[in-house]
Amino acid sequence: MPTILKEYKQFLRTNFKELRLKKPLLYSWDFGLRFDLQIDKNDIEEYFQEVRKRASTIFRDVFNDSDNIFLVYMDYKYRRQKIRVSNFTFKQIKNLLHTEITYSKRLRLYEAQDRFDVRNMAIIKLTTDRISYKNILTAIANNDFSSRKPRLDDNSIFTNKEVYFINIDTKLIFHMYDDRGLELIAADKESLRPIYQKYNEWILNYDREKIETLFAQ
């Protein structure tokens, strides 16, 4: 039986050839969308409510409960630091077993000349219905606001933790980077078109011209 790591690597080779999983995804792949999660509101709670609503709405539209997915969790490796099983993200997975987690490392992911740029990575293969995804998206939205809970990392003001949801069945990758926005990329442009049309008003204006040019073809 192939290991989860081998399955993960084979999946990327087959569907996202030469892609290195990192942000920003939109500039690393031909077919992608980037959405703006922010609104201009003075009320902080109303602001975060809208961020969570948009992120959760798009997530539910691209992940069915029965979909097979890879959840990829990455963190900057500081000295001998490892990914702890007690981290917030893992706690949002129902009945997670140690044997379901495969660990790996990524070298020079963001800084090609920096030998200290090392990322710990954990890969979990499961179905969507086992994930309390709203809690994870909420924690990502709160990451840059130390007074808000939950957060992916309660031990520091800033965090290098990243969470990627990869839909094995539909060949789509979802990444919410913080309260500002999220990205979707897919192996096939047409699988993104319904999302592009349905949530067109949420597309980030900075990248709108690039995205609209893609779907005008």
Side-chain angles (χ1 to χ4, degrees):
M1 292 290 289
T3 65
I4 292 175
L5 181 59
K6 287 182 178 179
E7 286 186 55
Y8 166 78
K9 289 182 176 181
Q10 182 60 48
F11 174 85
L12 290 185
R13 279 196 299 268
T14 303
N15 301 290
F16 295 91
K17 188 177 181 180
E18 297 181 3
L19 174 72
R20 297 197 77 193
L21 196 67
K22 64 177 184 176
K23 56 185 180 182
L25 288 174
L26 187 67
Y27 302 129
S28 300
W29 191 248
D30 292 335
F31 312 132
L33 299 169
R34 179 181 279 178
F35 293 101
D36 188 358
L37 302 180
Q38 297 181 306
I39 55 169
D40 293 326
K41 291 291 182 180
N42 292 326
D43 184 286
I44 191 70
E45 290 305 325
E46 189 174 354
Y47 168 83
F48 278 100
Q49 182 178 356
E50 182 67 17
V51 170
R52 293 192 300 267
K53 184 193 85 171
R54 292 188 182 190
S56 298
T57 299
I58 294 172
F59 186 97
R60 285 308 311 170
D61 218 325
V62 297
F63 290 94
N64 293 319
D65 283 347
S66 59
D67 284 344
N68 295 292
I69 73 170
F70 292 118
L71 186 152
V72 179
Y73 179 88
M74 284 196 290
D75 193 12
Y76 179 77
K77 184 179 184 299
Y78 179 70
R79 294 183 178 177
R80 296 185 178 182
Q81 180 180 331
K82 296 181 179 180
I83 293 175
R84 297 181 180 274
V85 179
S86 60
N87 73 75
F88 176 83
T89 300
F90 287 7
K91 288 182 178 179
Q92 307 314 307
I93 300 174
K94 299 173 186 176
N95 304 317
L96 178 62
L97 303 175
H98 290 238
T99 54
E100 293 181 296
I101 310 169
T102 296
Y103 296 96
S104 183
K105 285 185 174 60
R106 287 294 174 267
L107 308 178
R108 296 180 171 89
L109 190 61
Y110 289 103
E111 300 294 337
Q113 305 304 318
D114 185 0
R115 66 186 180 89
F116 296 107
D117 181 9
V118 181
R119 311 279 157 165
N120 287 322
M121 183 173 75
I123 306 166
I124 304 167
K125 185 181 179 183
L126 68 170
T127 50
T128 308
D129 60 347
R130 291 179 57 194
I131 305 172
S132 297
Y133 69 93
K134 288 184 179 179
N135 292 342
I136 296 176
L137 299 182
T138 297
I140 295 170
N142 293 340
N143 261 348
D144 294 335
F145 303 84
S146 57
S147 62
R148 297 188 63 84
K149 308 296 179 186
R151 297 171 68 238
L152 290 184
D153 191 348
D154 283 333
N155 298 319
S156 62
I157 297 177
F158 301 106
T159 182
N160 291 294
K161 293 176 171 58
E162 301 173 27
V163 181
Y164 297 84
F165 300 92
I166 302 177
N167 194 317
I168 299 170
D169 299 332
T170 61
K171 302 175 179 59
L172 180 146
I173 301 176
F174 175 108
H175 175 61
M176 178 181 175
Y177 44 91
D178 55 30
D179 62 295
R180 295 170 298 169
L182 67 82
E183 297 177 299
L184 291 174
I185 64 171
D188 176 2
K189 178 180 70 174
E190 290 308 311
S191 65
L192 289 174
R193 191 179 293 276
I195 307 299
Y196 162 75
Q197 294 172 338
K198 189 172 183 179
Y199 303 108
N200 191 278
E201 64 179 315
W202 292 351
I203 289 174
L204 186 66
N205 284 331
Y206 182 84
D207 296 301
R208 181 174 289 278
E209 183 177 353
K210 171 184 173 66
I211 293 169
E212 290 189 342
T213 299
L214 170 66
F215 286 96
Q217 298 172 1

